Amino acid sequence: MPRPKRIRRMTNPPHFKGFKPVGLTEEPPVVIHYEEYEAIRLSDFELHGQVESARIMNVSRPTFARIYESARRKVAQAFVQGKPIVFEGGKVYFDSEWYSCKSCGCWFNHPSREEEVTHCALCGSAEFEQNKEGPL
Amino acid sequence: MKIVITSSGNNANAKVDNHFGRCAFFVFYDTLTRGVEFLPNPFKEFEEGAGEAAVNLIAARGITKIVTGELGVKVKPILDSLKIQVIILRHKEKSIEEILNMLNHYA
């Protein structure tokens, strides 16, 4: 049995579901995992080095390199063969777990993931909601 | 539970300071004893690394929550790893007294 994968950390999922090639009939899509999306984002958009990116995703440098390579190959496959891309799955957790309180209007995060959020961290109100994007 | 609030002045009527690392005063509040302490920010004039230095200071005092207006991108990962909760105010004109009253439910 292979060793279980370490959970990769990422900030925000892409805010759309994928890409479609122009002018082609539907082909089976290439599935890009969230961690692969994040690897491309960190390396080629934010321009972090591999060591830095690996640290941000909370995996080892070689693991990051594997994720990144797999991501690039999938993108290339989609480009060359004209396949759609969908973002799906992957072993990730989201770093941005911001909540906003409807009562006092503050934002708060929740670093202890194991515990459930039951009330606003500032005013104690139970009227709060989870947000995909945080204030930072 | 110990909470730190960033303040622009040294009394309870002062408004919350929007800058975390370069705020004028830190307000340390202990929900058990209801003790409030104002501490002038020793890192206010730092050109660089004020946020990190401030995190070290408050972490050494066993703080588990921060109430502020904004904080820098360098500071957030450190706070995450220390499991310090961040509360960011959206209505930024609140006074320290108002914030302390809002925290009363922890007592």
Side-chain angles (χ1 to χ4, degrees), chain A residues 70-120:
Chain A
S70 160
R72 262 189 10 239
R73 287 186 180 188
K74 285 180 178 178
V75 170
Q77 196 195 354
F79 275 25
V80 173
Q81 300 181 331
K83 288 182 174 175
I85 294 175
V86 292
F87 298 121
E88 226 173 68
K91 211 164 161 65
V92 294
Y93 69 88
F94 297 114
D95 202 24
S96 146
E97 11 72 290
W98 287 96
Y99 298 80
S100 64
C101 176
K102 291 178 185 168
S103 169
C104 68
C106 72
W107 294 89
F108 58 98
N109 72 345
H110 190 60
S112 331
R113 281 158 215 285
E114 313 79 52
E115 296 158 30
E116 205 185 331
V117 186
T118 54
H119 55 264
C120 166

